[in-house]
Amino acid sequence: MQPHKIASKDEWLSARKALLAREKELTRLRDKISEERRALPWVKVEKTYVFDTPQGKKTLADLFEDRSQLIVKHFMLAPGQLEGCVGCSFEADHVEGALVHLEHHDVTYVVVARAPLSEIEAYKKRMGWHFTWVSSGNSDFNYDFNVSFTPDQVANGKVYYNYEATEVPIEDLSGNSVFIKSENGDIFHTYSTYGRGLEEILGTYMYLDITPKGRNENGPNHDLTDWVRLHDRYDSGGYVDATGRYRAPDSEHACCASAKQDS
């Protein structure tokens, strides 16, 4: 930790009040941007998307349940991965306490991933989550909302993600999309955000931002992969690679490889 300026109480109060003025500017700006977000035009969803759920096949319209607004978390869990992206899992940990409040304010929250339902259910149970999680593996949903890409798209270079052409090393990325359903049943896409646009809903970051050391993300990736772990992996060693995947210690890999050879 770098040496820090030490001040008298009066000096601290003067600096704090100056910062408070800036914080109030940010709060008012956030309110204004939120208003502009709500004023965005809507796009009617014409395609019928069908998802695999624990209750059977459901359409996008069904996922709203009895509410008019729907938040969809695009979760990075592809078929065969078994364990979720650390960043997506970090975000999912923040949802549990908010669910009851969202549901009583006309908002349904659903997580969507390409993995088959059996793999989703196993990981969800392991992590102790209770939100609705469905599989889009048999639909174009992830691809149409620009969070999943075919192997050919990845190999060919740039894909369309976060509203620009960019290179990606993997087939699935993260995001949130928002929809509204009219009284006659029409569904409209109102908003999507990706990348650092997701930080606003990460309460842990908001807490860290008021501490002296802040997020303390100093490498190698200079983001949450430097320190965040799946909540049941914090004492397991290993590391998280740049794609957000937890990598167990070599001893665990060796153990697993030995077990496979013995089976």
Side-chain angles (χ1 to χ4, degrees):
M1 187 174 178
Q2 295 295 319
H4 205 81
K5 179 181 179 180
I6 305 300
S8 68
K9 186 174 181 179
D10 287 343
E11 290 173 324
W12 178 89
L13 184 59
S14 177
R16 177 65 189 94
K17 290 175 73 174
L19 178 61
L20 179 60
R22 297 282 288 154
E23 288 175 335
K24 288 183 178 295
E25 288 179 17
L26 178 59
T27 297
R28 288 190 289 269
L29 178 59
R30 183 185 295 111
D31 290 342
K32 178 62 176 175
I33 291 174
S34 295
E35 181 181 340
E36 293 174 4
R37 183 185 297 121
R38 293 190 295 272
L40 283 172
W42 299 347
V43 178
K44 187 175 181 180
V45 179
E46 303 283 2
K47 186 181 290 188
T48 299
Y49 296 103
V50 179
F51 304 89
D52 295 317
T53 84
Q55 294 77 38
K57 301 286 186 181
K58 289 190 177 183
T59 65
L60 182 62
D62 294 330
L63 297 185
F64 281 79
E65 297 179 341
D66 59 350
R67 303 178 185 93
S68 70
Q69 301 171 101
L70 175 69
I71 297 174
V72 169
K73 167 61 187 173
H74 303 288
F75 198 107
M76 294 166 58
L77 187 68
Q81 287 185 325
L82 304 182
E83 188 171 78
C85 157
V86 168
C88 291
S89 300
F90 182 55
E91 181 182 337
D93 284 337
H94 290 78
V95 174
E96 289 292 298
L99 280 178
V100 64
H101 304 291
L102 292 173
E103 291 169 355
H104 284 81
H105 206 65
D106 194 32
V107 178
T108 297
Y109 179 91
V110 174
V111 177
V112 175
R114 287 196 305 118
L117 193 61
S118 59
E119 294 175 4
I120 286 173
E121 288 288 286
Y123 185 56
K124 178 183 173 183
K125 180 179 180 181
R126 167 187 156 186
M127 301 304 281
W129 293 326
H130 300 92
F131 46 73
T132 298
W133 193 346
V134 304
S135 172
S136 62
N138 295 313
S139 81
D140 297 327
F141 185 77
N142 283 48
Y143 300 99
D144 288 351
F145 285 91
N146 305 116
V147 289
S148 292
F149 317 97
T150 66
D152 286 344
Q153 287 177 312
V154 174
N156 289 337
K158 292 186 176 181
V159 302
Y160 188 72
Y161 176 72
N162 203 11
Y163 307 106
E164 63 180 3
T166 185
E167 294 183 359
V168 298
I170 51 179
E171 295 176 28
D172 293 89
L173 292 175
S174 179
N176 283 336
S177 292
V178 183
F179 304 86
I180 191 165
K181 184 165 61 174
S182 68
E183 291 184 1
N184 66 3
D186 289 335
I187 297 174
F188 300 90
H189 175 219
T190 68
Y191 182 72
S192 285
T193 188
Y194 313 93
R196 291 196 66 181
L198 302 171
E199 287 185 9
E200 288 289 317
I201 58 176
L202 298 180
T204 301
Y205 265 166
M206 302 305 107
Y207 281 113
L208 291 175
D209 285 348
I210 65 172
T211 65
K213 292 185 179 180
R215 302 185 186 188
N216 203 27
E217 296 172 345
N218 298 317
N221 298 318
H222 301 283
D223 59 25
L224 60 78
T225 60
D226 290 341
W227 65 278
V228 172
R229 298 293 180 266
L230 303 177
H231 63 235
D232 61 352
R233 290 287 197 177
Y234 271 106
D235 298 318
S236 299
Y239 68 99
V240 175
D241 67 22
T243 70
R245 296 290 159 187
Y246 170 77
R247 305 300 180 188
D250 291 341
S251 59
E252 183 171 332
H253 285 306
C255 174
C256 293
S258 175
K260 288 181 180 179
Q261 292 173 356
D262 292 341
S263 62

